[in-house]
Amino acid sequence: MEPRLVGPGPYRATRLWNEIIELFRAGMPLRKHRCRFKSYERCFKASEAVDCLHELLGSNQNFGPEVTRDQTVKLLKKFLKNHVIEDIKGRWGKEDFQDDGRLYRFPPSSPLKSYPKKPSCGKEVIKFPDWNEPKAGTSQEHIPVKSVTMNSEMWYKRHSIAIGEVPACKLVFRRELTQTNIEEIWKSMTLSRLQKVLGLDSLDEVLDTKLVNSKHIVQNTYNVNKQGIVTLEDKSKELPHWILSAMKCLANWPSCTDLKQPTYSGFERDVFKTIVDYFGQMKEPLLTFHFFDVFVSVLGLLQKPSKAVEALQISCLLLPPENRKRLQLLVRMMARISLNKDLPPLSESVRTRTLMVQAFSRCILCSKDEIDLDELLAAKLVSFLMDNYQEILGVPSALKSSIEDHVVHLQRVQIKYAGADSDVTLPPPSFCHQISTDEFEYQRATGSQEPLAALLEEIVMNTEISVKDKKKKLKQFQKSYPEVYRGRFPTPETEAVLFPEKTKQKPPILMWALKKPFQPFHRTRSFRM
């Protein structure tokens, strides 16, 4: 059986659980073993099960090579508790599995989990103000726009043609948006974008939208400092100063600013243990119980990193501001510690990065109801967060811009034309309104012929302009609208009629000059003084 990628969607954790059970049953070698002078068919040692499942999880793209052997043992304990496996005497139900030589076997059928029926949350309908309701003190009388007849002089100056008459229209004043309206717009558009990125028909199966606080989204977007960290309005929800000092100490090691340099060996391990203990005693993970299914669904996009980053960006905007700030500070510290070569090892047996994931994954993501794959899923998410924390925990600029543009759009005065089905938001036009490219081409080919022909006729019949100016205008019209010009002057002869050539009369010949006899040239003698 080939492993397959389990994408985003409802009950992803359950689907992964069933997938791993089927792969484990299909891939675990079974053979004959002896125990206490007795042979047992089709069974396996505990250590063999750990080897097989660890290799299977590491090569599975839903989990990856960062799964540790210790995490594999914990998963096999849950397998034993849920009767996926049993010992050779048929006992199961306890999490007493150990990485040793004890023998286990599969029951006749390992129980796959059924998909629970989640109570329908219903789609939340966000109520917007009645935009067509006039503002107090304003009038919505129809404002007639005077029809404009474009004469030749106007056309010549503007180099454009007025097509037809502008219909009567009215101004539609929008009610002023309140802060609550704006927050609900943010919530609606944010959830809509999240649904699109996850590729789901509905968010109902992974999220109760009624639990999404619109104020949190706005605060997480705008209440940030220069480093992009959320600033809290309620200072009582800030991290204790001593924890912040400890986190800064390890994140900036060895340049500790809030604490004096250590004077004994193992100081950094004591500081790290203090931080782990503080975050470990929280009653709810930083990503909250409500959003567990959303973040598990995002894990299905990790094969497409850009989409996964965007989905996590949006999902983290939904968090309470105090949770988002703690997540930002914690993940940033984890990433810096993992890359800090100057920091002494915090564990003798575990690499620093692995230690960060193991120590903090559960305080970042876990389910309210015990889910068997909690730890593996959390480890996968935390690893991705550490690698991309600067982008994920920043404000999604594209989403912010689109929502801000939409709010500005709704606040504009609308112009509604007679017979229009919907309002058109435009800067107030004087003589025209915007149309599509196809409509323009159609109008240019058909509807503009008659007014253009009338304009050409007006140029032709205008006797108040000189012949030189008339020829100049006709030449420009012919260049701009050759088809209309050709319709009026199909041949050069018809054009020549407009400017008939005047016959020039030759001056009369002086007859008296011809009557004189020819006078030859006579040379005269010059007089000398």
Side-chain angles (χ1 to χ4, degrees), residues 353-470:
R353 178 184 172 88
T354 304
L355 179 63
M356 293 297 110
V357 174
Q358 290 180 354
F360 296 109
S361 59
R362 188 166 182 81
C363 73
I364 292 177
L365 178 70
C366 69
S367 174
K368 187 175 183 179
D369 303 320
E370 186 68 23
I371 300 295
D372 295 310
L373 292 178
D374 266 6
E375 188 170 347
L376 292 178
L377 297 175
K380 185 76 172 177
L381 179 67
V382 171
S383 296
F384 190 78
L385 273 175
M386 290 173 60
D387 293 336
N388 304 274
Y389 75 96
Q390 289 182 324
E391 193 173 1
I392 290 173
L393 297 177
V395 176
S397 55
L399 177 66
K400 180 183 177 184
S401 298
S402 65
I403 297 177
E404 288 175 343
D405 291 344
H406 183 68
V407 171
V408 171
H409 168 87
L410 295 176
Q411 290 174 330
R412 287 176 181 164
V413 174
Q414 310 288 306
I415 295 183
K416 189 171 183 179
Y417 290 91
D421 294 332
S422 59
D423 298 340
V424 181
T425 304
L426 292 169
S430 300
F431 304 104
C432 60
H433 66 280
Q434 189 175 1
I435 60 175
S436 65
T437 305
D438 295 337
E439 187 178 355
F440 168 76
E441 294 295 336
Y442 175 77
Q443 288 186 5
R444 186 175 68 170
T446 57
S448 60
Q449 299 297 320
E450 186 176 343
L452 287 173
L455 180 61
L456 177 60
E457 193 64 28
E458 182 183 347
I459 298 173
V460 171
M461 302 304 296
N462 193 340
T463 58
E464 297 180 359
I465 58 176
S466 64
V467 173
K468 181 179 179 180
D469 289 341
K470 182 179 292 190

Side-chain angles (χ1 to χ4, degrees), residues 139-182:
S139 173
Q140 278 197 322
E141 296 293 329
H142 284 267
I143 302 174
V145 179
K146 184 179 179 180
S147 302
V148 177
T149 303
M150 183 71 73
N151 57 33
S152 60
E153 192 66 26
M154 294 172 66
W155 174 84
Y156 181 67
K157 289 180 179 179
R158 300 184 185 185
H159 302 284
S160 60
I161 303 299
I163 303 174
E165 297 181 353
V166 178
C169 64
K170 68 175 181 178
L171 295 179
V172 179
F173 291 92
R174 298 304 196 193
R175 183 189 295 174
E176 184 178 356
L177 291 178
T178 64
Q179 182 62 25
T180 302
N181 298 145
I182 294 175

